[in-house]
Amino acid sequence: KTRARQTLSTKMVIFNNISLLSLPVEDVIFANILPRLEPKDWISLRSSSTSFYRLINSFLTENKVLNLSEAAQITEISFKILTRYSLKLRHLNLRGCIWVTDNILRPVLRNNPSLRSIDLSFCNNCTEGVLHTITMMCPAITKLRLSGCNWVNASGLEYLCHQHIKR
């Protein structure tokens, strides 16, 4: 019984000495920990120390999914931080992000040609120019959601479809 307690307490000490930064970056942190956190947590971690600043920036460079649909605390500035280094996004969900404009979105679309799905539902500060940018810069797009977007018109959708069919 005493030996079992010693073994258990030794395991607890070893467990308590593990820090997030001591775990394997690619296989554990990037693959299994950071994707389970909210984008607001990435922002908080990034600002907590130089080590986390570097870690989160590296993660954002490799990140493939950015879902801000339920991220009420994310602002235009936070979005720019989250996307500044992103080059590998496959899925971008900005549903209901009322602060999104063409000027904010265009650099992200240009830097992420492998985007496959984009949700801009209820992003009413954009214009049909975004459709042209998506058409030209995101050849891999297979899903585009535009529910509640008052800026979408028939000519923009026709252009998008016509260009997509040509590929």
Side-chain angles (χ1 to χ4, degrees), residues 37-160:
L37 298 178
E38 298 290 326
K40 67 180 172 77
D41 298 324
W42 301 338
I43 297 287
S44 296
L45 272 173
R46 188 178 175 273
S47 64
S48 67
S49 74
T50 304
S51 297
F52 278 120
Y53 179 88
R54 288 189 200 115
L55 178 77
I56 296 298
N57 283 349
S58 294
F59 168 71
L60 293 173
T61 302
E62 299 297 319
N63 188 32
K64 291 178 175 59
V65 177
L66 184 57
N67 183 355
L68 300 180
S69 65
E70 296 177 18
Q73 301 87 353
I74 299 296
T75 63
E76 175 183 337
I77 294 167
S78 298
F79 179 73
K80 287 179 179 179
I81 290 169
L82 292 170
T83 58
R84 179 179 301 141
Y85 304 110
S86 66
L87 302 171
K88 297 182 180 182
L89 284 177
R90 302 291 184 272
H91 307 281
L92 178 62
N93 187 342
L94 299 175
R95 181 184 185 89
C97 294
I98 58 173
W99 44 263
V100 173
T101 64
D102 295 23
N103 291 336
I104 294 168
L105 191 54
R106 271 194 192 105
V108 178
L109 298 174
R110 282 189 194 117
N111 291 336
N112 292 280
S114 297
L115 272 167
R116 293 183 190 136
S117 72
I118 303 171
D119 189 342
L120 297 176
S121 299
F122 306 101
C123 294
N124 286 318
N125 288 316
C126 294
T127 69
E128 73 176 62
V130 167
L131 293 178
H132 294 283
T133 304
I134 290 170
T135 301
M136 303 311 291
M137 300 296 167
C138 303
I141 194 79
T142 57
K143 186 190 295 184
L144 179 61
R145 293 189 176 175
L146 301 168
S147 300
C149 293
N150 56 15
W151 48 270
V152 175
N153 59 37
S155 66
L157 290 175
E158 285 174 13
Y159 180 79
L160 178 75

Side-chain angles (χ1 to χ4, degrees), residues 135 159-167:
T135 301
Y159 180 79
L160 178 75
C161 292
H162 179 71
Q163 294 299 318
H164 196 69
I165 289 171
K166 286 169 87 172
R167 296 185 188 136

Side-chain angles (χ1 to χ4, degrees), residues 5-18:
R5 283 186 191 156
Q6 287 177 336
T7 304
L8 181 60
S9 86
T10 303
K11 287 181 181 179
M12 294 288 280
V13 169
I14 293 170
F15 178 77
N16 288 335
N17 286 332
I18 294 175

